[in-house]
Amino acid sequence: METFNQFVQWLRSVAPYVHAFRGKTFVVAFPGELVTAGALPVLAQDLSLLVALGIRVVVVHGSRPQVAEQLALRNVEGRFHNGVRITDTAALECAKEAAGELRLDIEAAFSQGLPNTPMAHAAIRIISGNFVTARPLGVIDGVDLELTGMTRKIAAETIHAILATDSVVLLSPLGFSPTGEVFNLTMEDVAVSAAIALHADKIIFITETMMMKDEAEVEIRELSSHQAEAVLQAGFLPTDAAFYLQHSIKACNNGVPRAHILPFEMDGSTLLELFTHDGVGTMISHENLESLRQATIEDVGGIIKLIEPLEADGTLVKRGRELIEREIDNFSVIEHDGVIFGCAALYPFPAEKMAEMACLTVNPEVQAQGDGERILKHMENRARSLGIKQLFVLTTRTSHWFKKRGFVPATVDALPKDRQHMYNWQRKSQVLIKPL
């Protein structure tokens, strides 16, 4: 029974993300190393699930190890300039050979459909074509990069029409010129160009790199694009990670709201990143994702969902929807990527220059991350702005938490007169007061 309850709670917890992502466009890019590592079948299963949930998916694959393998088979030495492949005629043939094989492998992976597997009953169609127009990079630092190119244009209208049929669009790191030439591109360039042209909601790089860490070896979970630029300039990231971050910043600065960089070595990293609060990779956004603000009427449903379990077990006094709607101006909420994860309410008693903080609640999944502390400080500042000198709470189960944050025990007589009359003697809540 406990397992059943856990499943139901998990399914309910991902529902806000399912609603938020339906109809959105995600560009998912991965390097050739993911295919070499044997992770393609599982990734296809996860991406097919996204399609089943109503998400429009564009897949962009890389092919560096496959091109290197083809060059080795032909005894041709690869040439590079500042980390960029110089694509001569022989190298281009290898790139075309690699792209062709990978396209077939990807189509095969999306064609899975055995019973009792995640792909059972899936009928995903994956469409590729000449959707990428390219131009040559030309001569850089006196070095002719020959048939190495960069994206000039993405056939956005055509791709949108395909996505509207619930098909997946596949883009290879090859582009075509109006003169009929073929150019070798980078997967990152194609993915970012596609995300910008399609006005995608997310670009997701599923990479061979480990989780990004700062100079103190602390994992980097979330960055604004401005913070990401500072990290890039600091120069402590490995080359590959810096390359992905550079392209993520470009995407965000050109209208893509979110960029994600995930390790493919973790099973299900795409699903974990998208459908859990903290994810398993690094998220870059044009602005900070988390906001702590005064609540609006649109937040009522999120607040009710947050406090209902605590009302059910008696931790909080029950509040009906109508009451919360009437008192919504008293509430503040903390939200992350559009989902409410914490709330509290402030009830001033101006005559005594006191205020009650009530209904302080944080989603159990994130209670160890300091959201409760942030909400408390926000409510204290909100109270100070109203000229409040003392903040008080009534609690039956969390007195220790408040005492650690400067609240001291008091009697009912210390409350404002109006609040004394409303005190519920059956609950016998403890009174704690903090001077501001």
Side-chain angles (χ1 to χ4, degrees):
M1 183 60 69
E2 183 178 353
T3 302
F4 291 159
N5 290 337
Q6 288 175 345
F7 174 78
V8 170
Q9 291 302 317
W10 171 83
L11 198 56
R12 288 170 177 166
S13 72
V14 303
Y17 299 104
V18 174
H19 298 317
F21 295 158
R22 181 175 295 277
K24 304 298 185 183
T25 300
F26 294 177
V27 174
V28 181
F30 58 87
E33 285 84 353
L34 180 144
V35 180
T36 303
L40 179 58
V42 173
L43 177 62
Q45 294 172 5
D46 293 347
L47 297 185
S48 296
L49 177 57
L50 299 187
V51 175
L53 293 173
I55 298 169
R56 300 179 172 187
V57 177
V58 176
V59 173
V60 185
H61 72 81
S63 59
R64 292 186 187 100
Q66 288 78 15
V67 172
E69 182 181 356
Q70 290 294 329
L71 286 168
L73 289 173
R74 302 182 188 203
N75 293 318
V76 178
E77 184 177 353
R79 293 184 296 143
F80 294 86
H81 175 68
N82 290 336
V84 178
R85 185 184 297 280
I86 300 171
T87 308
D88 55 20
T89 303
L92 182 62
E93 290 303 312
C94 292
K96 289 157 63 174
E97 184 86 18
E101 289 187 7
L102 284 167
R103 179 176 65 83
L104 293 173
D105 288 342
I106 293 168
E107 290 175 355
F110 276 92
S111 299
Q112 302 173 80
L114 291 175
N116 302 319
T117 72
M119 295 293 285
H121 309 298
I124 305 297
R125 296 293 171 257
I126 185 159
I127 312 297
S128 59
N130 57 337
F131 303 137
V132 181
T133 302
R135 65 175 179 83
L137 274 176
V139 178
I140 298 178
D141 301 328
V143 178
D144 186 357
L145 297 178
E146 302 186 36
L147 295 171
T148 299
M150 64 182 298
T151 305
R152 172 180 283 175
K153 185 179 179 181
I154 299 290
E157 290 186 8
T158 303
I159 292 174
H160 276 305
I162 295 170
L163 294 175
T165 66
D166 294 330
S167 298
V168 173
V169 172
L170 174 64
L171 302 180
S172 296
L174 294 174
F176 310 94
S177 74
T179 60
E181 292 178 287
V182 181
F183 292 101
N184 185 28
L185 315 175
T186 67
M187 169 267 286
E188 295 83 356
D189 171 46
V190 174
V192 170
S193 298
I196 294 170
L198 295 167
H199 302 290
D201 300 276
K202 290 182 183 290
I203 182 170
I204 304 168
F205 290 112
I206 307 173
T207 76
E208 72 279 19
T209 61
M210 303 293 288
M211 165 68 79
M212 271 193 246
K213 295 182 179 180
D214 61 19
E215 292 178 287
E217 290 298 306
V218 176
E219 292 181 346
I220 303 175
R221 291 285 183 177
E222 184 180 307
L223 295 168
S224 68
S225 56
H226 299 300
Q227 292 170 328
E229 287 171 353
V231 168
L232 204 58
Q233 292 172 4
F236 58 80
L237 290 177
T239 302
D240 289 344
F243 196 60
Y244 286 119
L245 185 59
Q246 174 188 342
H247 284 81
S248 297
I249 293 169
K250 181 180 178 181
C252 290
N253 287 344
N254 284 275
V256 181
R258 309 281 185 266
H260 303 255
I261 303 173
L262 320 176
F264 69 64
E265 68 171 12
M266 177 177 290
D267 183 30
S269 60
T270 307
L271 302 180
L272 290 167
E273 178 71 9
L274 293 175
F275 296 106
T276 61
H277 178 266
D278 292 321
V280 295
T282 300
M283 179 187 293
I284 301 93
S285 62
H286 187 61
E287 300 294 341
N288 286 330
L289 288 177
E290 188 169 270
S291 68
L292 181 51
R293 56 173 175 77
Q294 188 167 335
T296 66
I297 196 69
E298 287 79 13
D299 300 317
V300 171
I303 292 171
I304 291 173
K305 182 178 179 180
L306 194 63
I307 66 177
E308 272 183 342
L310 296 177
E311 291 177 343
D313 68 12
T315 301
L316 294 178
V317 176
K318 289 190 176 182
R319 291 172 171 82
R321 175 179 283 271
E322 291 183 1
L323 178 61
I324 294 176
E325 288 179 352
R326 287 200 305 270
E327 298 180 346
I328 194 63
D329 290 339
N330 297 94
F331 279 83
S332 289
V333 296
I334 187 167
E335 69 171 350
H336 188 281
D337 206 9
V339 179
I340 293 175
F341 280 89
C343 69
L346 187 73
Y347 298 94
F349 294 86
E352 293 89 348
K353 293 186 176 181
M354 298 180 73
E356 178 181 7
M357 185 178 66
C359 204
L360 176 58
T361 310
V362 175
N363 188 304
E365 294 180 5
V366 296
Q367 283 182 352
Q369 298 175 22
D371 283 346
E373 191 90 40
R374 285 192 285 274
I375 296 174
L376 173 59
K377 290 180 180 178
H378 171 80
M379 302 307 278
E380 289 176 355
N381 290 333
R382 189 172 168 182
R384 289 188 184 98
S385 70
L386 298 174
I388 301 300
K389 300 300 182 183
Q390 290 182 301
L391 188 68
F392 67 89
V393 297
L394 276 67
T395 179
T396 57
R397 304 189 185 183
T398 56
S399 60
H400 182 68
W401 189 90
F402 286 107
K403 288 176 182 177
K404 289 177 64 176
R405 286 151 183 86
F407 287 80
V408 295
T411 64
V412 176
D413 294 336
L415 298 176
K417 295 296 183 183
D418 289 345
R419 189 64 182 87
Q420 290 181 32
H421 298 323
M422 294 185 291
Y423 182 81
N424 187 336
W425 289 97
Q426 290 183 330
R427 281 180 61 86
K428 296 182 180 179
S429 300
Q430 291 180 271
V431 178
L432 295 104
I433 298 178
K434 180 178 183 178
L436 300 178

